[in-house]
């Protein structure tokens, strides 16, 4: 299963991403991806080393993933939304091509921060495109997890990346600003059958829970209370999940159970991959590459584990 953590900047989505990744890694193999411009997921997980950023190897990723697909002329004609087809290289969770660091029983991958050459001339979506390519070609099996710490706010709607997940956890503080991001996300996602569950954070009283319930209704799945253990973790003190308060450990279990219960819909995944590739082709990619990228869509390709090599 693939899950994205989104929310307002400062809502605690990176912290909750790290806690959930630690917890879900106890259930099965897990890849955590830091796709936030601030790149703090590794710090929250306690990583002492940083893998090579995916954002610096986009050309290599394209060349690797296109494989022998006859519909993709070369890496230069491949864009972030280019879907796989017959001949494309499909990847598993443990594919050694994608650099990662082992920490807390999971594999950490990063998009990387802005480089000096990027400042003033590039947007961060060029780096996040590496994650979209990875997810488009990933065949994740039962009991496997991908956890992505996304950029803040509604930035993930700048491409089809928001449809690449089985479930999205929206982290919301009990404030008007927190629920406004929820409303914006729901408005954008409404037409695309994107399951969203709200996770309250920084809850200090029953009134905070009531506030969120009044504004998000049944979408409120669970919430995390103010945690001295998490504050200590953020200050660099030693931390394990056993240090969490019982209520917050139960909240993690609720998130994991909800994700495990989410149906996997490969047909929808493939349909939306083609839809957003066509959108991008018409909006900018045909012009950028000088060719009709609609021709890259393979109508005979079937998504899912049946087509992946063992």
């Amino acid at each position: 299963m693939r899950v994205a953590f989104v929310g307002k900047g400062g809502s605690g989505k990176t912290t909750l991403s790290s806690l959930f990744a630690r917890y879900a890694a106890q259930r099965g193999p897990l890849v955590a991806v830091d796709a936030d411009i601030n790149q703090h997921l590794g710090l929250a997980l306690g990583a002492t080393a940083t893998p090579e950023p995916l954002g610096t190897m986009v050309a290599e990723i394209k060349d690797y993933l296109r494989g022998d697909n006859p519909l993709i002329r070369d890496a230069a004609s491949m864009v972030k939304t280019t879907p796989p087809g017959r001949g494309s290289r499909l990847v598993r969770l443990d594919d050694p091509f994608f650099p990662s660091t082992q920490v807390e029983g999971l594999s950490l991958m990063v998009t990387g921060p802005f480089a000096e050459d990027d400042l003033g001339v590039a947007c961060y979506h060029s780096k996040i495109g590496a994650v979209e390519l990875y997810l488009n070609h990933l065949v994740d099996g039962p009991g496997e997890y991908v956890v992505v710490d996304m950029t803040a706010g509604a930035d993930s709607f700048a491409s089809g990346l928001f449809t690449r997940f089985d479930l999205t956890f929206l982290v919301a503080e009990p404030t008007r600003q927190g629920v406004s991001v929820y409303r914006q996300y729901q408005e954008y996602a409404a037409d695309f059958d994107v399951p969203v569950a709200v996770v309250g954070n920084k809850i200090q009283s029953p009134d905070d829970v009531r506030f969120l319930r009044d504004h998000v209704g049944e979408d409120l799945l669970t919430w995390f209370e103010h945690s001295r253990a998490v504050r200590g973790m953020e200050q660099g003190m030693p931390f394990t999940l056993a240090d969490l308060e019982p209520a917050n450990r139960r909240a993690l279990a609720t998130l994991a159970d909800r994700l495990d219960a989410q149906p996997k819909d490969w047909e929808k995944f493939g349909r939306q991959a083609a839809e957003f590739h066509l959108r991008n082709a018409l909006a900018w990619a045909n012009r950028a590459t000088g060719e009709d990228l609609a021709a890259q869509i393979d109508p005979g390709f079937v998504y899912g584990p049946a087509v992946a090599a063992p």
Side-chain angles (χ1 to χ4, degrees), residues 91-281:
V91 299
R92 295 289 193 176
L93 225 61
D94 58 354
D95 192 302
F97 175 82
F98 293 90
S100 65
T101 293
Q102 299 301 304
V103 57
E104 292 291 335
L106 57 89
S107 299
L108 171 67
M109 299 196 303
V110 303
T111 53
F114 271 124
E116 185 174 346
D117 292 344
D118 296 326
L119 298 177
V121 298
C123 73
Y124 200 68
H125 298 120
S126 61
K127 298 182 183 296
I128 298 177
V131 180
E132 188 164 358
L133 285 163
Y134 171 71
L135 294 178
N136 267 345
H137 292 75
L138 175 67
V139 180
D140 44 327
E144 296 179 336
Y145 300 93
V146 179
V147 177
V148 181
D149 181 21
M150 291 293 296
T151 52
D155 262 5
S156 58
F157 288 98
S159 72
L161 182 57
F162 72 100
T163 67
R164 304 297 84 194
F165 303 100
D166 300 297
L167 183 62
T168 295
F169 287 142
L170 190 146
V171 180
E173 298 173 84
T175 63
R176 288 180 298 174
Q177 297 92 328
V179 298
S180 70
V181 172
Y182 158 78
R183 293 195 185 100
Q184 184 181 45
Y185 209 99
Q186 283 290 63
E187 179 184 351
Y188 291 163
D191 294 332
F192 300 101
D193 190 20
V194 175
V196 177
V198 176
V199 184
N201 195 29
K202 304 180 184 179
I203 301 299
Q204 299 192 36
S205 72
D207 287 340
D208 286 343
V209 177
R210 280 192 289 270
F211 176 86
L212 285 176
R213 185 80 70 191
D214 288 345
H215 286 83
V216 310
E218 294 182 355
D219 284 345
L220 180 61
L221 175 63
T222 188
W223 54 88
F224 287 78
E225 299 174 357
H226 179 73
S227 171
R228 296 173 66 91
V230 168
R231 176 54 60 90
M233 178 190 77
E234 293 174 337
Q235 292 174 343
M237 297 175 63
F239 173 84
T240 70
L241 289 178
D243 298 321
L244 274 181
E245 300 77 10
N248 289 333
R249 289 200 299 271
R250 289 194 296 271
L252 286 176
T254 298
L255 295 183
D257 290 345
R258 173 65 181 85
L259 181 60
D260 284 345
Q262 179 66 30
K264 189 80 169 179
D265 192 342
W266 285 110
E267 187 279 329
K268 182 180 75 171
F269 185 85
R271 173 168 38 84
Q272 290 183 330
E275 175 185 351
F276 278 91
H277 183 59
L278 288 174
R279 283 171 173 249
N280 279 265

Side-chain angles (χ1 to χ4, degrees), residues 2-19:
R2 311 164 183 200
V3 63
F5 278 79
V6 301
K8 182 180 72 68
S11 64
K13 66 177 182 60
T14 297
T15 297
L16 295 194
S17 296
S18 72
L19 294 176

